Amino acid sequence: MATIEVFNHNVPAESDFGYSQAIKSGELIHVSGQLSLDDAGEFLYADDFAAQLKQTYANMDKVLDHYGVTRNQVVSQVLYVVNLRQNAAATAEGNLAYFGDHRPASTVFGITELTFPGQVIEISFVVDTKLPA
């Protein structure tokens, strides 16, 4: 029988919306969309794509660290980007910098808005814990 382990950042949105940041079921970890929230759950860097992307990746690292896994075990990701044409190059550069030589499956959606005013990026992903770190 597969075990389930839930992870939260303990920010208000988790209880307000009724979700977890991540859930590990068996060997897979499904991670909710990460964005530029600080440790208190406050949204940071409205309309600043580069700063939001940096904070989003830092929050992704918190999830990975909690489960003792690495970026090399991320098998897929979905990126939601406001003004994709304007932010496409920065999205690609950030992705390459974050993952290095690792290439997870990736889907990028250009969208009109996200949850917070000024939010321009959100990234969800799946991790396979059986892959080499």
Side-chain angles (χ1 to χ4, degrees):
M1 174 184 274
T3 59
I4 294 176
E5 180 186 345
V6 173
F7 171 72
N8 287 304
H9 289 309
N10 297 314
V11 297
E14 294 162 350
S15 59
D16 292 347
F17 290 98
Y19 74 98
S20 294
Q21 294 297 327
I23 185 167
K24 180 179 180 204
S25 177
E27 303 301 328
L28 295 178
I29 304 167
H30 298 269
V31 183
S32 295
Q34 298 298 292
L35 55 139
S36 61
L37 297 178
D38 65 13
D39 290 337
E42 296 296 318
F43 176 69
L44 303 173
Y45 313 117
D47 297 313
D48 185 336
F49 189 85
Q52 283 187 42
L53 190 59
K54 182 178 179 180
Q55 183 65 43
T56 298
Y57 284 135
N59 289 339
M60 290 171 65
D61 283 340
K62 289 178 188 177
V63 176
L64 296 173
D65 290 346
H66 170 80
Y67 287 104
V69 296
T70 71
R71 299 170 187 181
N72 291 332
Q73 293 166 290
V74 174
V75 293
S76 67
Q77 64 175 344
V78 179
L79 296 89
Y80 304 91
V81 180
V82 175
N83 298 321
L84 180 57
R85 288 186 183 142
Q86 175 185 331
N87 293 313
T91 300
E93 290 170 15
N95 192 65
L96 289 167
Y98 185 75
F99 284 108
D101 292 332
H102 180 61
R103 298 288 185 263
S106 183
T107 302
V108 180
F109 289 102
I111 58 174
T112 57
E113 64 182 4
L114 288 160
T115 303
F116 295 98
Q119 183 185 351
V120 293
I121 182 78
E122 188 163 327
I123 305 172
S124 63
F125 58 103
V126 176
V127 178
D128 185 340
T129 62
K130 289 193 127 186
L131 292 176

PDB file of all heavy atoms in Angstrom, residues 89-112:
ATOM      1  N   ALA A  89      11.707  35.018 -23.039  1.00  0.00           N
ATOM      2  CA  ALA A  89      13.162  34.877 -22.924  1.00  0.00           C
ATOM      3  C   ALA A  89      13.584  34.745 -21.464  1.00  0.00           C
ATOM      4  O   ALA A  89      14.415  33.889 -21.127  1.00  0.00           O
ATOM      5  CB  ALA A  89      13.868  36.067 -23.576  1.00  0.00           C
ATOM      6  N   ALA A  90      12.997  35.539 -20.574  1.00  0.00           N
ATOM      7  CA  ALA A  90      13.334  35.454 -19.150  1.00  0.00           C
ATOM      8  C   ALA A  90      12.887  34.117 -18.562  1.00  0.00           C
ATOM      9  O   ALA A  90      13.572  33.564 -17.699  1.00  0.00           O
ATOM     10  CB  ALA A  90      12.701  36.613 -18.387  1.00  0.00           C
ATOM     11  N   THR A  91      11.750  33.609 -19.047  1.00  0.00           N
ATOM     12  CA  THR A  91      11.272  32.301 -18.589  1.00  0.00           C
ATOM     13  C   THR A  91      12.271  31.224 -18.981  1.00  0.00           C
ATOM     14  O   THR A  91      12.660  30.395 -18.156  1.00  0.00           O
ATOM     15  CB  THR A  91       9.896  31.984 -19.199  1.00  0.00           C
ATOM     16  OG1 THR A  91       8.961  32.994 -18.804  1.00  0.00           O
ATOM     17  CG2 THR A  91       9.385  30.633 -18.758  1.00  0.00           C
ATOM     18  N   ALA A  92      12.713  31.234 -20.224  1.00  0.00           N
ATOM     19  CA  ALA A  92      13.669  30.234 -20.702  1.00  0.00           C
ATOM     20  C   ALA A  92      15.005  30.342 -19.963  1.00  0.00           C
ATOM     21  O   ALA A  92      15.568  29.327 -19.535  1.00  0.00           O
ATOM     22  CB  ALA A  92      13.878  30.399 -22.208  1.00  0.00           C
ATOM     23  N   GLU A  93      15.491  31.559 -19.806  1.00  0.00           N
ATOM     24  CA  GLU A  93      16.767  31.765 -19.104  1.00  0.00           C
ATOM     25  C   GLU A  93      16.689  31.274 -17.666  1.00  0.00           C
ATOM     26  O   GLU A  93      17.607  30.617 -17.168  1.00  0.00           O
ATOM     27  CB  GLU A  93      17.160  33.233 -19.124  1.00  0.00           C
ATOM     28  CG  GLU A  93      17.575  33.737 -20.491  1.00  0.00           C
ATOM     29  CD  GLU A  93      17.739  35.248 -20.532  1.00  0.00           C
ATOM     30  OE1 GLU A  93      17.806  35.891 -19.464  1.00  0.00           O
ATOM     31  OE2 GLU A  93      17.786  35.781 -21.660  1.00  0.00           O
ATOM     32  N   GLY A  94      15.590  31.594 -16.979  1.00  0.00           N
ATOM     33  CA  GLY A  94      15.420  31.155 -15.602  1.00  0.00           C
ATOM     34  C   GLY A  94      15.339  29.645 -15.494  1.00  0.00           C
ATOM     35  O   GLY A  94      15.921  29.033 -14.588  1.00  0.00           O
ATOM     36  N   ASN A  95      14.632  29.033 -16.432  1.00  0.00           N
ATOM     37  CA  ASN A  95      14.491  27.577 -16.434  1.00  0.00           C
ATOM     38  C   ASN A  95      15.840  26.898 -16.645  1.00  0.00           C
ATOM     39  O   ASN A  95      16.190  25.946 -15.944  1.00  0.00           O
ATOM     40  CB  ASN A  95      13.502  27.165 -17.523  1.00  0.00           C
ATOM     41  CG  ASN A  95      13.083  25.724 -17.408  1.00  0.00           C
ATOM     42  OD1 ASN A  95      12.439  25.342 -16.445  1.00  0.00           O
ATOM     43  ND2 ASN A  95      13.449  24.931 -18.392  1.00  0.00           N
ATOM     44  N   LEU A  96      16.604  27.385 -17.612  1.00  0.00           N
ATOM     45  CA  LEU A  96      17.928  26.817 -17.872  1.00  0.00           C
ATOM     46  C   LEU A  96      18.858  26.997 -16.673  1.00  0.00           C
ATOM     47  O   LEU A  96      19.607  26.088 -16.314  1.00  0.00           O
ATOM     48  CB  LEU A  96      18.542  27.453 -19.123  1.00  0.00           C
ATOM     49  CG  LEU A  96      17.893  27.053 -20.447  1.00  0.00           C
ATOM     50  CD1 LEU A  96      18.374  27.970 -21.568  1.00  0.00           C
ATOM     51  CD2 LEU A  96      18.187  25.600 -20.765  1.00  0.00           C
ATOM     52  N   ALA A  97      18.811  28.149 -16.050  1.00  0.00           N
ATOM     53  CA  ALA A  97      19.651  28.399 -14.876  1.00  0.00           C
ATOM     54  C   ALA A  97      19.240  27.492 -13.717  1.00  0.00           C
ATOM     55  O   ALA A  97      20.104  26.985 -12.991  1.00  0.00           O
ATOM     56  CB  ALA A  97      19.563  29.865 -14.463  1.00  0.00           C
ATOM     57  N   TYR A  98      17.961  27.290 -13.528  1.00  0.00           N
ATOM     58  CA  TYR A  98      17.480  26.483 -12.399  1.00  0.00           C
ATOM     59  C   TYR A  98      17.804  25.002 -12.588  1.00  0.00           C
ATOM     60  O   TYR A  98      18.272  24.350 -11.673  1.00  0.00           O
ATOM     61  CB  TYR A  98      15.976  26.667 -12.218  1.00  0.00           C
ATOM     62  CG  TYR A  98      15.427  25.949 -11.001  1.00  0.00           C
ATOM     63  CD1 TYR A  98      15.657  26.453  -9.722  1.00  0.00           C
ATOM     64  CD2 TYR A  98      14.696  24.788 -11.128  1.00  0.00           C
ATOM     65  CE1 TYR A  98      15.171  25.806  -8.602  1.00  0.00           C
ATOM     66  CE2 TYR A  98      14.193  24.130 -10.015  1.00  0.00           C
ATOM     67  CZ  TYR A  98      14.432  24.639  -8.752  1.00  0.00           C
ATOM     68  OH  TYR A  98      13.950  23.991  -7.641  1.00  0.00           O
ATOM     69  N   PHE A  99      17.566  24.474 -13.773  1.00  0.00           N
ATOM     70  CA  PHE A  99      17.725  23.037 -13.989  1.00  0.00           C
ATOM     71  C   PHE A  99      19.085  22.635 -14.543  1.00  0.00           C
ATOM     72  O   PHE A  99      19.426  21.448 -14.537  1.00  0.00           O
ATOM     73  CB  PHE A  99      16.626  22.512 -14.920  1.00  0.00           C
ATOM     74  CG  PHE A  99      15.295  22.375 -14.240  1.00  0.00           C
ATOM     75  CD1 PHE A  99      14.276  23.250 -14.532  1.00  0.00           C
ATOM     76  CD2 PHE A  99      15.073  21.387 -13.291  1.00  0.00           C
ATOM     77  CE1 PHE A  99      13.040  23.144 -13.905  1.00  0.00           C
ATOM     78  CE2 PHE A  99      13.847  21.269 -12.653  1.00  0.00           C
ATOM     79  CZ  PHE A  99      12.833  22.140 -12.965  1.00  0.00           C
ATOM     80  N   GLY A 100      19.881  23.567 -15.035  1.00  0.00           N
ATOM     81  CA  GLY A 100      21.177  23.200 -15.598  1.00  0.00           C
ATOM     82  C   GLY A 100      20.996  22.248 -16.771  1.00  0.00           C
ATOM     83  O   GLY A 100      20.205  22.511 -17.673  1.00  0.00           O
ATOM     84  N   ASP A 101      21.694  21.116 -16.734  1.00  0.00           N
ATOM     85  CA  ASP A 101      21.626  20.145 -17.825  1.00  0.00           C
ATOM     86  C   ASP A 101      20.406  19.240 -17.751  1.00  0.00           C
ATOM     87  O   ASP A 101      20.139  18.489 -18.688  1.00  0.00           O
ATOM     88  CB  ASP A 101      22.889  19.275 -17.837  1.00  0.00           C
ATOM     89  CG  ASP A 101      24.125  20.072 -18.233  1.00  0.00           C
ATOM     90  OD1 ASP A 101      23.974  21.065 -18.976  1.00  0.00           O
ATOM     91  OD2 ASP A 101      25.232  19.707 -17.795  1.00  0.00           O
ATOM     92  N   HIS A 102      19.689  19.261 -16.659  1.00  0.00           N
ATOM     93  CA  HIS A 102      18.487  18.427 -16.515  1.00  0.00           C
ATOM     94  C   HIS A 102      17.359  19.020 -17.358  1.00  0.00           C
ATOM     95  O   HIS A 102      17.185  20.235 -17.401  1.00  0.00           O
ATOM     96  CB  HIS A 102      18.085  18.353 -15.032  1.00  0.00           C
ATOM     97  CG  HIS A 102      16.878  17.530 -14.783  1.00  0.00           C
ATOM     98  ND1 HIS A 102      16.827  16.190 -15.095  1.00  0.00           N
ATOM     99  CD2 HIS A 102      15.669  17.846 -14.264  1.00  0.00           C
ATOM    100  CE1 HIS A 102      15.634  15.714 -14.772  1.00  0.00           C
ATOM    101  NE2 HIS A 102      14.916  16.708 -14.260  1.00  0.00           N
ATOM    102  N   ARG A 103      16.605  18.169 -18.013  1.00  0.00           N
ATOM    103  CA  ARG A 103      15.534  18.628 -18.891  1.00  0.00           C
ATOM    104  C   ARG A 103      14.213  17.920 -18.570  1.00  0.00           C
ATOM    105  O   ARG A 103      13.862  16.922 -19.184  1.00  0.00           O
ATOM    106  CB  ARG A 103      15.893  18.372 -20.369  1.00  0.00           C
ATOM    107  CG  ARG A 103      17.132  19.101 -20.857  1.00  0.00           C
ATOM    108  CD  ARG A 103      16.848  20.584 -20.990  1.00  0.00           C
ATOM    109  NE  ARG A 103      17.967  21.296 -21.563  1.00  0.00           N
ATOM    110  CZ  ARG A 103      18.874  21.935 -20.846  1.00  0.00           C
ATOM    111  NH1 ARG A 103      18.827  21.939 -19.548  1.00  0.00           N
ATOM    112  NH2 ARG A 103      19.857  22.578 -21.448  1.00  0.00           N
ATOM    113  N   PRO A 104      13.444  18.436 -17.611  1.00  0.00           N
ATOM    114  CA  PRO A 104      12.144  17.820 -17.344  1.00  0.00           C
ATOM    115  C   PRO A 104      11.168  18.121 -18.479  1.00  0.00           C
ATOM    116  O   PRO A 104      11.349  19.087 -19.229  1.00  0.00           O
ATOM    117  CB  PRO A 104      11.690  18.505 -16.048  1.00  0.00           C
ATOM    118  CG  PRO A 104      12.390  19.820 -16.058  1.00  0.00           C
ATOM    119  CD  PRO A 104      13.707  19.587 -16.761  1.00  0.00           C
ATOM    120  N   ALA A 105      10.139  17.296 -18.608  1.00  0.00           N
ATOM    121  CA  ALA A 105       9.062  17.633 -19.534  1.00  0.00           C
ATOM    122  C   ALA A 105       8.477  18.966 -19.071  1.00  0.00           C
ATOM    123  O   ALA A 105       8.400  19.227 -17.866  1.00  0.00           O
ATOM    124  CB  ALA A 105       7.998  16.542 -19.522  1.00  0.00           C
ATOM    125  N   SER A 106       8.069  19.806 -20.018  1.00  0.00           N
ATOM    126  CA  SER A 106       7.660  21.147 -19.634  1.00  0.00           C
ATOM    127  C   SER A 106       6.548  21.654 -20.545  1.00  0.00           C
ATOM    128  O   SER A 106       6.602  21.484 -21.756  1.00  0.00           O
ATOM    129  CB  SER A 106       8.864  22.084 -19.724  1.00  0.00           C
ATOM    130  OG  SER A 106       8.536  23.378 -19.310  1.00  0.00           O
ATOM    131  N   THR A 107       5.563  22.277 -19.923  1.00  0.00           N
ATOM    132  CA  THR A 107       4.495  22.948 -20.643  1.00  0.00           C
ATOM    133  C   THR A 107       4.408  24.366 -20.114  1.00  0.00           C
ATOM    134  O   THR A 107       4.429  24.577 -18.902  1.00  0.00           O
ATOM    135  CB  THR A 107       3.144  22.235 -20.429  1.00  0.00           C
ATOM    136  OG1 THR A 107       3.264  20.879 -20.870  1.00  0.00           O
ATOM    137  CG2 THR A 107       2.032  22.927 -21.182  1.00  0.00           C
ATOM    138  N   VAL A 108       4.325  25.333 -21.029  1.00  0.00           N
ATOM    139  CA  VAL A 108       4.228  26.734 -20.638  1.00  0.00           C
ATOM    140  C   VAL A 108       2.930  27.293 -21.204  1.00  0.00           C
ATOM    141  O   VAL A 108       2.662  27.174 -22.396  1.00  0.00           O
ATOM    142  CB  VAL A 108       5.419  27.558 -21.170  1.00  0.00           C
ATOM    143  CG1 VAL A 108       5.298  29.015 -20.738  1.00  0.00           C
ATOM    144  CG2 VAL A 108       6.738  26.966 -20.713  1.00  0.00           C
ATOM    145  N   PHE A 109       2.128  27.878 -20.327  1.00  0.00           N
ATOM    146  CA  PHE A 109       0.885  28.524 -20.727  1.00  0.00           C
ATOM    147  C   PHE A 109       1.036  30.032 -20.602  1.00  0.00           C
ATOM    148  O   PHE A 109       1.467  30.520 -19.556  1.00  0.00           O
ATOM    149  CB  PHE A 109      -0.285  28.109 -19.816  1.00  0.00           C
ATOM    150  CG  PHE A 109      -0.736  26.697 -19.998  1.00  0.00           C
ATOM    151  CD1 PHE A 109      -0.354  25.719 -19.089  1.00  0.00           C
ATOM    152  CD2 PHE A 109      -1.548  26.343 -21.067  1.00  0.00           C
ATOM    153  CE1 PHE A 109      -0.774  24.413 -19.242  1.00  0.00           C
ATOM    154  CE2 PHE A 109      -1.973  25.045 -21.232  1.00  0.00           C
ATOM    155  CZ  PHE A 109      -1.583  24.066 -20.317  1.00  0.00           C
ATOM    156  N   GLY A 110       0.657  30.740 -21.629  1.00  0.00           N
ATOM    157  CA  GLY A 110       0.536  32.191 -21.547  1.00  0.00           C
ATOM    158  C   GLY A 110      -0.881  32.508 -21.108  1.00  0.00           C
ATOM    159  O   GLY A 110      -1.844  32.057 -21.735  1.00  0.00           O
ATOM    160  N   ILE A 111      -1.020  33.231 -20.014  1.00  0.00           N
ATOM    161  CA  ILE A 111      -2.337  33.497 -19.448  1.00  0.00           C
ATOM    162  C   ILE A 111      -2.518  34.990 -19.180  1.00  0.00           C
ATOM    163  O   ILE A 111      -1.555  35.748 -19.202  1.00  0.00           O
ATOM    164  CB  ILE A 111      -2.556  32.678 -18.150  1.00  0.00           C
ATOM    165  CG1 ILE A 111      -1.482  33.012 -17.126  1.00  0.00           C
ATOM    166  CG2 ILE A 111      -2.527  31.190 -18.451  1.00  0.00           C
ATOM    167  CD1 ILE A 111      -1.709  32.381 -15.798  1.00  0.00           C
ATOM    168  N   THR A 112      -3.753  35.366 -18.899  1.00  0.00           N
ATOM    169  CA  THR A 112      -4.028  36.793 -18.692  1.00  0.00           C
ATOM    170  C   THR A 112      -3.846  37.241 -17.259  1.00  0.00           C
ATOM    171  O   THR A 112      -3.504  38.403 -17.021  1.00  0.00           O
ATOM    172  CB  THR A 112      -5.457  37.148 -19.144  1.00  0.00           C
ATOM    173  OG1 THR A 112      -6.376  36.328 -18.436  1.00  0.00           O
ATOM    174  CG2 THR A 112      -5.613  36.939 -20.631  1.00  0.00           C
TER     175      THR A 112
END
